[in-house]
Amino acid sequence: MHRLTFNPSRVLVLLLVALIPFSYLELFGIRVITLSVFLFFVLLLISLKKLLSINNNIILFLPPFFLVLMLSIISGSSDFISAVVFFIYLSAFVFFDRVRLKFIINKSCFIYFYGAVFMALGVIVQRFLYERIGYEFGKINIYGGGRVGFGFLWLDYSFLSLYLVSALPLVLNIYKNHYMKIIASSILLLGSVVTTARTGLAALIIATLFVGGLEITKYLAKGKAKKSTLRTLLILFLSSLVVVYFYVEFSNRTVSFDSSGRFHGYYLGFQSFLDSPFLGVMFNRDYFLENYGTIPHNLFVYILSQGGILFFTLFFIWFFYVFYVAAFKVEVFRYPIIITIFGFMFIPSFFSAYFFALLISFCMAEKKAISYSIGK
């Protein structure tokens, strides 16, 4: 009979994963982000006797990580706090050898997915109560043009919509029953739309076009294509159509190519970069807002404006590596990573996206597990 053993490392990593949907909550007066930092260092202490497996993801991330810490300290910015938490989730799986990775990845994927389902149901119920009986709870904002943003437990609607859509491809790995796949997918898609943020919709459509182009190129080069990939591509395409329908029906906004002021934000971001091309504004958000205005809603423009060409170069090397691994070296977390990456073309404040750091950690752990299985 198989004996259940208590492994504190596994338990702590699963707790870190479970905290992702509650990143902005306070439990018993303790901010969840603070709790995440505490759990990470406990995990580090109990793992000191083991050899930590530092992969290229961590090695390439360290230079931009330490640079953002240095620039934030010099400028008096608090962005280094987000960078520290981002790094914690990015390195969550370095504490496990290859033999244990498969178990912990499966459990963490399960928690990440159902965290997204929980958040989707929460935002759907939040909107229903708001519109039907006028009861308000959680994060709600009223904007011009009749738009109402619903965030449930999250502060940023764009991040929430992207988080929900990023969990969509995991439906194929979580469920075997087709009816459950349809139900879970519908909940995630509707939840993303109900936030009224367009980021999830845009990311899903662009990612589908990218993956489709990539697979067509592979087919022309090799003359064959994987059935599983074609099936996933079809699901992403159909999901995009469903999201567009849901968006028109339930978001109080129209589907258009209106930039919502983003192009002006890009201009301001480039202007700040030209004014200080080497180090940017050194992640001093208050200084940027006071002198330039809106934070650029694009990852690369944001990085250029905040850290200049030096930080951008170091960051881009790491970011390209992550994209390369996701696109060509893994299977389960390929599409969640690609969808999220395209979503960052429309939102700022990269280091606040803790769920993306966790996705990258999943991705690198899967890559390690695959290399181990091939080498056996």
Side-chain angles (χ1 to χ4, degrees):
M1 183 175 66
H2 179 69
R3 294 180 59 189
L4 294 176
T5 58
F6 174 77
N7 187 309
S9 297
R10 290 180 179 179
V11 173
L12 287 173
V13 168
L14 292 176
L15 282 173
L16 282 172
V17 176
L19 288 174
I20 281 292
F22 307 99
S23 298
Y24 297 106
L25 277 182
E26 288 191 3
L27 302 175
F28 308 109
I30 303 174
R31 183 124 177 149
V32 170
I33 290 177
T34 305
L35 184 60
S36 301
V37 175
F38 173 75
L39 288 177
F40 175 81
F41 282 106
V42 172
L43 183 62
L44 179 62
L45 287 174
I46 65 177
S47 303
L48 285 178
K49 62 182 179 181
K50 303 175 183 178
L51 179 63
L52 301 184
S53 177
I54 307 300
N55 55 38
N56 291 337
N57 169 46
I58 302 299
I59 294 173
L60 293 175
F61 185 75
L62 285 176
F65 172 71
F66 284 115
L67 184 57
V68 72
L69 291 184
M70 182 186 72
L71 295 178
S72 297
I73 292 173
I74 292 174
S75 65
S77 168
S78 60
D79 271 27
F80 74 92
I81 298 176
S82 296
V84 169
V85 178
F86 189 93
F87 178 77
I88 286 173
Y89 284 104
L90 191 70
S91 56
F93 289 92
V94 302
F95 302 99
F96 294 92
D97 57 36
R98 295 174 178 179
V99 177
R100 296 176 179 174
L101 276 179
K102 187 175 182 180
F103 169 84
I104 198 69
I105 290 172
N106 289 339
K107 293 296 182 181
S108 298
C109 176
F110 182 86
I111 294 174
Y112 181 93
F113 174 79
Y114 277 102
V117 171
F118 171 77
M119 292 299 298
L121 289 172
V123 78
I124 291 170
V125 171
Q126 181 189 35
R127 175 167 177 174
F128 176 82
L129 294 178
Y130 176 83
E131 293 187 344
R132 297 300 179 182
I133 64 176
Y135 178 74
E136 294 185 28
F137 75 96
K139 176 69 173 177
I140 296 177
N141 278 107
I142 300 175
Y143 299 95
R147 179 200 171 191
V148 181
F150 298 91
F152 189 33
L153 302 178
W154 282 48
L155 295 181
D156 190 286
Y157 310 112
S158 294
F159 275 38
L160 176 56
S161 71
L162 188 57
Y163 169 53
L164 299 182
V165 170
S166 74
L168 180 64
L170 299 179
V171 171
L172 299 176
N173 300 95
I174 299 292
Y175 296 111
K176 294 183 179 180
N177 184 286
H178 293 299
Y179 292 107
M180 289 303 299
K181 289 179 181 179
I182 294 173
I183 292 172
S185 299
S186 299
I187 291 173
L188 292 173
L189 292 171
L190 182 57
S192 179
V193 168
V194 165
T195 65
T196 68
R198 291 182 293 187
T199 305
L201 167 62
L204 184 61
I205 293 175
I206 297 175
T208 301
L209 293 174
F210 171 80
V211 174
L214 193 64
E215 292 307 316
I216 291 174
T217 303
K218 286 182 180 179
Y219 177 77
L220 293 176
K222 299 181 179 180
K224 60 180 180 179
K226 291 183 179 180
K227 290 184 179 179
S228 59
T229 301
L230 294 176
R231 184 171 61 249
T232 302
L233 186 61
L234 177 62
I235 291 173
L236 290 178
F237 175 73
L238 293 176
S239 297
S240 300
L241 296 180
V242 172
V243 170
V244 172
Y245 170 78
F246 277 160
Y247 198 86
V248 173
E249 292 294 322
F250 300 108
S251 73
N252 296 326
R253 302 177 76 185
T254 59
V255 176
S256 68
F257 294 100
D258 176 32
S259 68
S260 298
R262 282 183 170 84
F263 288 133
H264 183 62
Y266 300 162
Y267 170 78
L268 295 174
F270 278 118
Q271 184 62 53
S272 70
F273 165 68
L274 294 175
D275 291 343
S276 183
F278 189 63
L279 295 176
V281 298
M282 298 194 295
F283 293 92
N284 192 331
R285 179 184 297 267
D286 293 335
Y287 173 82
F288 185 94
L289 291 174
E290 181 180 344
N291 290 274
Y292 297 99
T294 307
I295 299 293
H297 282 55
N298 177 278
L299 172 63
F300 296 128
V301 180
Y302 169 79
I303 292 298
L304 275 174
S305 67
Q306 299 300 302
I309 194 65
L310 176 60
F311 182 82
F312 178 85
T313 302
L314 297 173
F315 178 86
F316 183 79
I317 293 171
W318 167 78
F319 196 75
F320 178 80
Y321 173 75
V322 169
F323 187 82
Y324 170 76
V325 171
F328 300 105
K329 299 296 183 180
V330 298
E331 294 291 337
V332 176
F333 297 104
R334 171 179 297 168
Y335 302 108
I337 290 282
I338 291 176
I339 289 172
T340 309
I341 283 177
F342 281 112
F344 278 111
M345 299 303 105
F346 307 100
I347 53 180
S349 190
F350 174 79
F351 292 115
S352 298
Y354 310 130
F355 74 94
F356 183 55
L358 189 61
L359 273 179
I360 296 173
S361 194
F362 285 147
C363 180
M364 298 305 163
E366 184 188 357
K367 175 178 177 290
K368 185 177 177 181
I370 291 174
S371 64
Y372 172 71
S373 63
I374 293 175
K376 288 179 65 176

